[in-house]
Amino acid sequence: DTAVSQTPKYLVTQMGNDKSIKCEQNLGHDTMYWYKQDSKKFLKIMFSYNNKELIINETVPNRFSPKSPDKAHLNLHINSLELGDSAVYFCASSQEDRKGPQFFGPGTRLTVL
Amino acid sequence: SQQGEEDPQALSIQEGENATMNCSYKTSINNLQWYRQNSGRGLVHLILIRSNEREKHSGRLRVTLDTSKKSSSLLITASRAADTASYFCATGPGTYKYIFGTGTRLKVLA
C-alpha cells in the first residue's frame, strides 16, 4: 500500500484556472506538509498542518488554500493559476513529534500554460 | 538565503568509488536529515542524525555532523549505478518546519 499518495500526478492547465491537488497518507501521522519544488530542484515548504490545524504558512500567496478534512488528508487548492506556479508539488507527512523523518508523496507536476 | 546548502552541486564518479557530499547550515538545529530523490520521484528519507551525535552509519551510508562548523557530510561507499539521484539535507530547528538544501546531483557511471 502506498504510504503517501497524491492525485493527480500531472496537471496541465491554462493561466487563470483553478485547480486542486489531493493528498492522503495511511501512516497514521499527525503532521502533513506541502512543498513546492522549482525547476532548479529547490524544495520550499509551503504549509504544515498538525491534527488538521494550520501550523505554518510560509508567505505563500493567498491564491493557495490548503484544506485538511481529517488527519489523513491534506488538499491544496490553487486559484487564478499563474505561469510562475508551474512546479512539482509534494505532499509529505511525519509523526506528531515532528522530529523524525518525513515521508513524501510521488509529487504532482503542475504546468501552467 | 537558504538554510542548507549542499556541496558540490553535481558529482560524477565511477561505480565502486566513494561519494562524499557536504551540507552547511546557518542556525542551530535539533537534527539533520539526508534524503534521496530519484528522477521524477518523491524524496526518500535516508538517515537522521541528532544534534548531540557526531557520526551515524546505515549500510553503505555514513553521516557526520559538526555543529561547531554547522556542517554535515554524507559518504556513500562502494557506489552503484542505482545510487544515481539527487541528495538533499534537511535541517530541523524543532518546529513544524524543515528546511531543505539545494541538493547534490550524483551520477554513478557503470
Side-chain angles (χ1 to χ4, degrees):
Chain A
D1 284 341
T2 304
V4 183
S5 59
Q6 292 178 230
T7 54
K9 190 166 172 61
Y10 299 96
L11 191 50
V12 181
T13 188
Q14 298 288 330
M15 243 180 5
N17 284 350
D18 304 338
K19 289 293 177 186
S20 292
I21 307 172
K22 294 187 176 182
C23 176
E24 177 181 2
Q25 54 95 3
N26 62 6
L27 298 167
H29 289 167
D30 291 312
T31 307
M32 296 184 73
Y33 312 81
W34 276 111
Y35 288 88
K36 178 180 180 181
Q37 187 173 46
D38 62 22
S39 58
K40 295 183 179 177
K41 301 294 186 186
F42 178 54
L43 196 67
K44 184 175 167 57
I45 189 163
M46 301 173 68
F47 301 103
S48 173
Y49 267 72
N50 185 61
N51 279 319
K52 304 193 300 174
E53 288 190 25
L54 178 65
I55 302 298
I56 292 173
N57 178 341
E58 281 290 299
T59 60
V60 177
N62 57 17
R63 297 183 296 104
F64 291 79
S65 52
K67 278 192 172 54
S68 182
D70 55 57
K71 280 189 348 179
H73 296 84
L74 181 61
N75 305 322
L76 183 65
H77 188 75
I78 316 170
N79 290 327
S80 304
L81 279 155
E82 300 178 356
L83 293 176
D85 297 332
S86 293
V88 182
Y89 292 83
F90 287 100
C91 176
S93 71
S94 67
Q95 289 182 340
E96 192 274 336
D97 67 6
R98 65 198 182 275
K99 295 177 183 175
Q102 294 183 40
F103 292 80
F104 281 77
T108 295
R109 181 174 293 276
L110 171 66
T111 303
V112 182
L113 304 173
Chain B
S1 60
Q2 298 168 26
Q3 165 75 325
E5 294 190 11
E6 287 89 344
D7 168 56
Q9 287 189 332
L11 181 59
S12 189
I13 59 173
Q14 294 291 328
E15 207 167 27
E17 293 181 341
N18 295 342
T20 299
M21 50 205 90
N22 305 297
C23 169
S24 60
Y25 57 93
K26 294 182 170 59
T27 63
S28 62
I29 61 170
N30 176 280
N31 66 62
L32 185 144
Q33 302 177 30
W34 284 92
Y35 288 80
R36 183 187 74 233
Q37 184 180 31
N38 290 89
S39 180
R41 301 287 191 92
L43 280 76
V44 174
H45 180 262
L46 294 176
I47 197 165
L48 180 154
I49 186 165
R50 302 191 190 284
S51 58
N52 61 354
E53 296 175 311
R54 291 297 166 257
E55 189 170 312
K56 205 158 181 182
H57 297 254
S58 176
R60 294 184 296 113
L61 305 179
R62 184 189 129 204
V63 168
T64 62
L65 179 64
D66 187 334
T67 52
S68 66
K69 294 182 180 177
K70 292 187 168 58
S71 68
S72 172
S73 67
L74 171 67
L75 168 68
I76 305 174
T77 59
S79 62
R80 305 166 182 167
D83 296 327
T84 294
S86 292
Y87 292 82
F88 294 86
C89 68
T91 49
T95 63
Y96 289 97
K97 185 165 90 172
Y98 281 88
I99 300 176
F100 283 78
T102 50
T104 292
R105 291 186 307 282
L106 173 66
K107 189 168 186 177
V108 181
L109 305 169

